Amino acid sequence: MTIQDAHQTNTAIDHSVIIALCQVIDLIEPVDRMRLNYDLLVPALIWAPFFSSEGLHKGYFLSAIDPDVVEGAGGKFDWSSKSASYVQLQKLASSPLITSLGPLSRLAATSIENIRVTKTLTGILQDLFEFSRSLCLQWRHNKLCEIDTTEEAAFLTEDTLQIPTPLLWRVLRSAMFAIVIVLRSYMGRVLSDSGVGGKEAPAVAVQALQILRNLYFISSRLGSSAFSEYSFIYLCAVDILAQYPIQVEAFLRDIRPSDPDKVPQHPLDRCHSLFFLNVAEHFAIVLEPRTNEELLITVARPYLGIGGDQRLIEIFEAAHSVVLAVFAAPQNSDLIARHVYFYVDALFQVFPSVISPRQFRIAIKTLIRITSPPAQISASQPLLSSTILELVRSRSESASFDPLVNTLTPERGTDGVVPLSEQATLVMALIDSLPFVPTDVLDFWLPRVAEVLNNVQQLEMLYDCQKRLWDIFTNGDMSAEKAALCHAWWSTNGGKEMVLYGGHTDDSGSYMSGPLQESGKL
């Protein structure tokens, strides 16, 4: 009744009523719960924590922090724990609306499932977008925004790192989690209710992705896949939007970096570029070749050859993933012909200094797969896959024998595994690619792979390469025709001797037990 009276008199709803309701909602009988006017309740649940002055107030508290962040001794920035903005942040963090963000967002999510008026749902999504946009803009007006996550220890004082900033990120994470919970319910309603989805589905997907982009400066610190609700919203919006290529192109043009030919200097711009590359990777398959080249390749290209900068590792990996996704799309065969040599050259420039052995092997294997039959480009350029393999083979002849220790992109989940050298990694890349080598040249490449395999100096690495080659032969990755060819090469054409003995056979002869030695023969 209080909410309905406030709506009729156009006055603000008492926040205590909302907080009390979210605390006792589970105690209300289901029959009585259905009598609630959710169409009036949800706007109040969104407005109170995100827009009211007692709540997050559209993120304006972020810009209020900026004057209190001052440069101190040693060139480090200091945000005093005694400053007015920090005291205000403490009050905000302990206010009833912020401490109740979890219950409020869950009640809002439940209410969205019961809303009857579609217009109300549209207004909720627009409100969330407006809040996320304002929050992102206010963050840009804060000096802390100019410091990359990897450089905070170098540019912030110890007091700032220990007291004010942890509280700030706790409040921002709470806001992001609350929005994600509400969006999770909204996207569920889109999937299950044709009245909410339908023709409006692509617009809803675009706005959901825009909200996630505005919040990416928060979620990127946690890892976007760190919680399932975020992943559900992200992938659901991508799947919906992918069915509408025209809207996909318009969305990507809207969020593309303003200067795609350069690496942005501002951390927030780099954060948005990373979001663009991550989301664009999913749409390479539905875009026209011209659009893929203009939007995706152009934006990714400046990042392909960068190396040694810890701030750019994530965006560097995303750029390589985007290029491979574009190459893998069947409609982009002409793009492969124009850009593959530049990409392979960039790949060799950053290996092994930046990318790990695992990443390099995946990249080479993917290139061979998308340039070999039945890929369309294999008809117009049948030697392309063999050319790439030859580049890898020739590189292995001058590669280092020392085990690789990559501090920028360390291997994950490789405890107890002998680290590979640059040479062994290149050999492994050749072995990994064998299932995709065209059948008519496989018998040419099998002995060449065996030859470079025996050039591996370290015994443990050599055993790893031999084991990997045997796995390729026996684990079912080969087609039936290729498997038969490999079996014939291994058993009757000298393959076993080349791999295990370096092509040398035992010339001492085979004799019965107790024969005369060579010197004792007649």
Side-chain angles (χ1 to χ4, degrees):
M1 290 178 62
T2 302
I3 296 173
Q4 190 167 355
D5 291 343
H7 177 73
Q8 292 174 350
T9 58
N10 198 26
T11 58
I13 300 171
D14 192 344
H15 298 157
S16 60
V17 175
I18 296 174
I19 295 173
L21 180 60
C22 75
Q23 298 294 338
V24 303
I25 189 68
D26 293 333
L27 304 176
I28 301 175
E29 292 293 332
V31 176
D32 295 327
R33 215 179 299 171
M34 294 302 297
R35 295 167 56 190
L36 289 172
N37 191 333
Y38 291 106
D39 294 274
L40 298 180
L41 177 60
V42 174
L45 292 171
I46 300 298
W47 182 85
F50 296 121
F51 292 92
S52 70
S53 57
E54 290 83 1
L56 294 168
H57 199 201
K58 298 181 70 174
Y60 288 136
F61 69 94
L62 289 175
S63 56
I65 295 172
D66 183 69
D68 291 331
V69 179
V70 295
E71 187 173 358
K76 291 189 173 184
F77 288 92
D78 181 66
W79 178 22
S80 174
S81 56
K82 298 179 182 178
S83 62
S85 59
Y86 179 68
V87 172
Q88 180 189 7
L89 181 64
Q90 285 180 307
K91 292 179 180 178
L92 175 65
S94 59
S95 66
L97 283 174
I98 302 305
T99 55
S100 301
L101 262 178
L104 284 169
S105 59
R106 287 192 292 272
L107 178 57
T110 302
S111 302
I112 285 174
E113 297 172 359
N114 295 282
I115 283 181
R116 297 182 178 87
V117 181
T118 305
K119 186 177 179 180
T120 304
L121 281 171
T122 305
I124 292 169
L125 195 62
Q126 183 62 32
D127 287 343
L128 292 176
F129 170 73
E130 288 297 331
F131 171 79
S132 67
R133 186 176 65 86
S134 177
L135 188 72
C136 186
L137 287 174
Q138 297 305 317
W139 174 244
R140 185 180 285 276
H141 295 155
N142 190 317
K143 290 189 186 73
L144 298 176
C145 177
E146 301 172 6
I147 302 173
D148 193 88
T149 307
T150 60
E151 298 177 329
E152 288 181 347
F155 288 99
L156 294 178
T157 62
E158 190 66 24
D159 180 66
T160 304
L161 289 171
Q162 295 295 327
I163 303 176
T165 52
L167 180 62
L168 172 63
W169 288 110
R170 194 183 80 191
V171 171
L172 291 175
R173 283 195 300 269
S174 298
M176 181 195 67
F177 288 140
I179 292 174
V180 165
I181 290 173
V182 176
L183 270 182
R184 163 68 176 82
S185 182
Y186 196 105
M187 296 306 293
R189 183 74 184 268
V190 171
L191 294 177
S192 60
D193 189 343
S194 59
V196 179
K199 295 181 180 180
E200 298 299 322
V204 170
V206 166
Q207 204 151 32
L209 289 173
Q210 290 277 17
I211 293 171
L212 296 183
R213 176 179 180 269
N214 291 334
L215 299 176
Y216 200 61
F217 75 95
I218 307 172
S219 61
S220 60
R221 298 176 70 96
L222 304 174
S224 299
S225 58
F227 48 107
S228 58
E229 287 83 358
Y230 183 100
S231 298
F232 171 81
I233 299 165
Y234 180 78
L235 295 177
C236 182
V238 166
D239 286 345
I240 292 173
L241 190 57
Q243 301 175 50
Y244 304 89
I246 296 177
Q247 286 84 346
V248 168
E249 181 178 350
F251 168 66
L252 292 178
R253 290 189 184 280
D254 185 36
I255 68 169
R256 70 178 301 191
S258 56
D259 192 353
D261 297 325
K262 297 180 181 179
V263 177
Q265 296 300 312
H266 198 285
L268 185 59
D269 292 332
R270 290 199 298 268
C271 181
H272 287 163
S273 294
L274 177 59
F275 182 87
F276 173 87
L277 290 170
N278 284 337
V279 74
E281 179 184 354
H282 297 280
F283 296 128
I285 191 69
V286 302
L287 294 173
E288 295 180 354
R290 175 189 57 81
T291 308
N292 271 313
E293 185 171 27
E294 182 182 349
L295 290 180
L296 276 62
I297 296 292
T298 302
V299 175
R301 194 174 178 118
Y303 299 99
L304 295 178
I306 60 175
D309 193 335
Q310 185 68 42
R311 300 172 302 172
L312 303 176
I313 289 301
E314 282 190 273
I315 197 168
F316 163 82
E317 294 177 344
H320 279 265
S321 295
V322 164
V323 173
L324 291 175
V326 171
F327 287 172
Q331 73 273 22
N332 293 332
S333 59
D334 291 340
L335 287 183
I336 300 176
R338 288 200 295 271
H339 296 284
V340 68
Y341 292 110
F342 167 80
Y343 178 72
V344 172
D345 181 61
L347 203 60
F348 282 134
Q349 287 181 21
V350 296
F351 174 76
S353 59
V354 180
I355 63 175
S356 68
R358 178 184 61 86
Q359 292 169 324
F360 179 81
R361 290 167 61 184
I362 291 174
I364 294 298
K365 181 174 68 173
T366 302
L367 287 174
I368 300 304
R369 178 177 60 82
I370 62 183
T371 55
S372 300
Q376 184 178 350
I377 192 174
S378 64
S380 58
Q381 299 201 35
L383 298 180
L384 183 54
S385 59
S386 290
T387 303
I388 297 172
L389 288 174
E390 180 59 29
L391 290 172
V392 176
R393 190 204 63 79
S394 61
R395 171 73 176 262
S396 70
E397 294 179 348
S398 58
S400 170
F401 304 149
D402 299 327
L404 296 175
V405 180
N406 196 315
T407 58
L408 291 177
T409 55
E411 297 282 16
R412 300 171 178 86
T414 56
D415 295 341
V417 177
V418 178
L420 297 175
S421 64
E422 179 185 354
Q423 181 195 47
T425 301
L426 292 163
V427 173
M428 284 287 202
L430 290 173
I431 295 172
D432 292 340
S433 303
L434 286 177
F436 308 105
V437 173
T439 306
D440 56 346
V441 296
L442 183 58
D443 57 348
F444 170 80
W445 276 105
L446 285 171
R448 292 178 73 80
V449 170
E451 180 184 346
V452 296
L453 183 149
N454 281 286
N455 291 334
V456 176
Q457 300 295 312
Q458 292 82 353
L459 194 59
E460 289 183 335
M461 296 182 191
L462 175 61
Y463 288 160
D464 285 342
C465 291
Q466 291 173 339
K467 182 177 182 297
R468 178 57 184 154
L469 181 62
W470 183 251
D471 288 341
I472 288 292
F473 287 163
T474 60
N475 64 8
D477 285 348
M478 295 278 190
S479 66
E481 185 179 3
K482 292 178 181 179
L485 194 153
C486 291
H487 178 269
W489 175 78
W490 179 268
S491 58
T492 61
N493 293 338
K496 175 183 176 181
E497 289 73 18
M498 292 187 68
V499 172
L500 299 182
Y501 310 116
H504 303 293
T505 58
D506 187 0
D507 295 331
S508 61
S510 300
Y511 309 108
M512 295 177 59
S513 178
L516 294 173
Q517 297 297 323
E518 187 73 24
S519 58
K521 292 181 182 180
L522 293 177

